[in-house]
Amino acid sequence: TAIRRSIMRSVQYSGTTAFTDFADLTFSNVTITANGCLIYNDTNSDKAVCVLAFGGDKTSTAGDFTIQFPAADASNAIIRIA
């Protein structure tokens, strides 16, 4: 099992909302079925930040499996605090 990391690129603010920006993550040439992922804090004993459900199984067969994060803004970012 390979662990890949999408590095949080920044924390930004819009009005009273703070939000994060993550780089998309691609696993190349894999056969995988996934239903979610875990975002964790690598600098704080790998403590979980949030668990994401993909809304169903997502599959790749001998190809690229990409997790595409939403736009980093106050309405869409994957992690927002208002």
Side-chain angles (χ1 to χ4, degrees):
T1 302
I3 297 175
R4 299 282 176 107
R5 297 179 180 158
S6 177
I7 304 299
M8 183 177 67
R9 294 190 277 200
S10 65
V11 175
Q12 301 172 42
Y13 301 91
S14 176
T16 59
T17 302
F19 55 92
T20 59
D21 181 19
F22 288 90
D24 294 346
L25 181 60
T26 299
F27 298 84
S28 298
N29 194 28
V30 296
T31 298
I32 187 173
T33 299
N35 195 290
C37 68
L38 173 71
I39 294 178
Y40 63 94
N41 186 338
D42 191 40
T43 62
N44 191 7
S45 303
D46 295 337
K47 291 187 169 98
V49 174
C50 70
V51 176
L52 304 173
F54 295 155
D57 289 347
K58 305 299 178 189
T59 302
S60 171
T61 304
D64 289 348
F65 184 87
T66 300
I67 299 171
Q68 185 176 21
F69 289 93
D73 60 43
S75 298
N76 298 294
I78 199 73
I79 298 176
R80 299 181 304 270
I81 300 172

